[in-house]
């Protein structure tokens, strides 16, 4: 692009000229509509710069009339060509900056989208794992409660057996005591522990 721009600048640096007048004194070369073209280029560059939200500073030159028209004209043409080249460079620079900003913005938005996707995936996985853990916890709580119920049932059965055995032993002791009272004999074992 720089080569094309350079070629355009070189070819446009030579201002179109035509011979003015027919006498020797008036056979000087004069630029044709050069200030108007420079103004149009400046307006176009300002519009391009506005599109990229950047401001391009266009310097306006004042053309001074000196008695020696040929030397002054060459100096003015050189100044106009230089300013034109500089304005092209500024416009190119702004364009490149705008492209770089847009490219960076596009990459940043892509990274943001990627980040959001990954976060959403991880959050969904976390929620799924939490649901599985809740289900496992509920299953385990139910299992433990069932085991506790079975243990309680077994303990109640053992208590019932012991109470029944106690009732039988008490009844047996009362019968033996009644028998010994009726017969008047003493029991052979007073205490089973001793």
């Amino acid at each position: 692009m720089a080569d094309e721009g350079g070629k355009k600048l070189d070819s446009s640096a030579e201002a179109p000229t035509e011979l003015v007048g027919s006498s020797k004194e008036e056979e000087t070369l004069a630029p044709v509509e050069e200030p108007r073209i420079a103004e149009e280029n400046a307006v176009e560059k300002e519009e391009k710069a506005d599109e990229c939200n950047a401001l391009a500073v266009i310097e306006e030159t004042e053309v001074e009339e000196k008695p020696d028209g040929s030397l002054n004209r060459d100096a003015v043409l050189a100044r106009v060509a230089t300013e034109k080249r500089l304005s092209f460079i500024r416009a190119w620079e702004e364009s490149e900056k705008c492209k770089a900003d847009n490219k960076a913005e596009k990459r940043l938005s892509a990274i943001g989208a990627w980040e959001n996707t990954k976060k959403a995936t991880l959050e969904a996985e976390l929620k799924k794992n939490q649901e599985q853990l809740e289900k496992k916890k509920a299953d385990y709580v139910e299992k433990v409660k069932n085991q506790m119920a079975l243990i309680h049932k077994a303990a109640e059965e053992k208590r019932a057996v012991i109470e029944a055995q106690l009732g039988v032993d008490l009844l047996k002791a009362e019968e033996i005591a009644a028998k010994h009272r009726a017969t008047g004999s003493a029991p052979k074992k007073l205490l089973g522990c001793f």
Side-chain angles (χ1 to χ4, degrees):
M1 286 181 88
D3 291 338
E4 293 174 7
K7 289 178 185 176
K8 288 180 181 178
L9 288 178
D10 292 341
S11 63
S12 63
E14 299 173 6
T17 59
E18 62 182 42
L19 293 176
V20 179
S22 60
S23 67
K24 271 190 164 179
E25 295 174 358
E26 295 178 310
E27 282 189 50
T28 59
L29 298 176
V32 177
E33 299 180 348
E34 188 64 36
R36 186 178 59 84
I37 294 172
E39 288 176 12
E40 289 176 2
N41 288 338
V43 169
E44 289 176 8
K45 288 174 190 164
E46 284 180 334
E47 290 174 359
K48 288 179 183 177
D50 288 342
E51 290 175 4
C52 294
N53 296 326
L55 296 176
V57 178
I58 307 296
E59 297 178 6
E60 295 183 14
T61 60
E62 295 180 11
V63 179
E64 297 178 6
E65 294 287 331
K66 290 190 177 178
D68 189 10
S70 169
L71 293 175
N72 186 31
R73 184 181 65 242
D74 292 340
V76 170
L77 288 175
R79 190 178 320 134
V80 168
T82 303
E83 289 174 5
K84 186 175 182 181
R85 194 175 335 110
L86 290 175
S87 65
F88 279 136
I89 291 170
R90 277 188 227 112
W92 177 85
E93 180 183 12
E94 292 300 323
S95 173
E96 290 299 313
K97 286 180 180 179
C98 184
K99 286 179 190 177
D101 286 343
N102 291 341
K103 187 176 182 181
E105 193 66 34
K106 183 178 178 182
R107 287 181 177 179
L108 288 174
S109 65
I111 289 170
W114 173 82
E115 180 184 17
N116 292 339
T117 303
K118 291 296 182 181
K119 282 183 179 179
T121 303
L122 288 176
E123 287 174 359
E125 187 176 334
L126 177 65
K127 187 175 180 182
K128 179 182 174 184
N129 289 341
Q130 285 177 341
E131 289 174 357
Q132 288 177 349
L133 289 173
E134 298 263 337
K135 184 178 178 185
K136 284 182 181 180
K137 182 180 176 182
D139 290 345
Y140 186 72
V141 166
E142 185 179 348
K143 183 179 176 181
V144 169
K145 284 183 179 179
N146 288 341
Q147 288 176 346
M148 290 174 73
L150 289 175
I151 291 170
H152 182 70
K153 182 180 176 184
E156 289 294 324
E157 288 174 356
K158 288 181 181 182
R159 282 188 191 107
V161 168
I162 290 172
E163 287 177 4
Q165 184 68 36
L166 177 65
V168 170
D169 288 346
L170 290 176
L171 189 61
K172 190 176 183 182
E174 286 177 7
E175 286 176 4
I176 292 175
K179 182 179 165 185
H180 283 293
R181 277 188 212 119
T183 59
S185 65
K188 293 181 183 177
K189 291 184 181 178
L190 291 176
L191 293 173
C193 303
F194 296 107

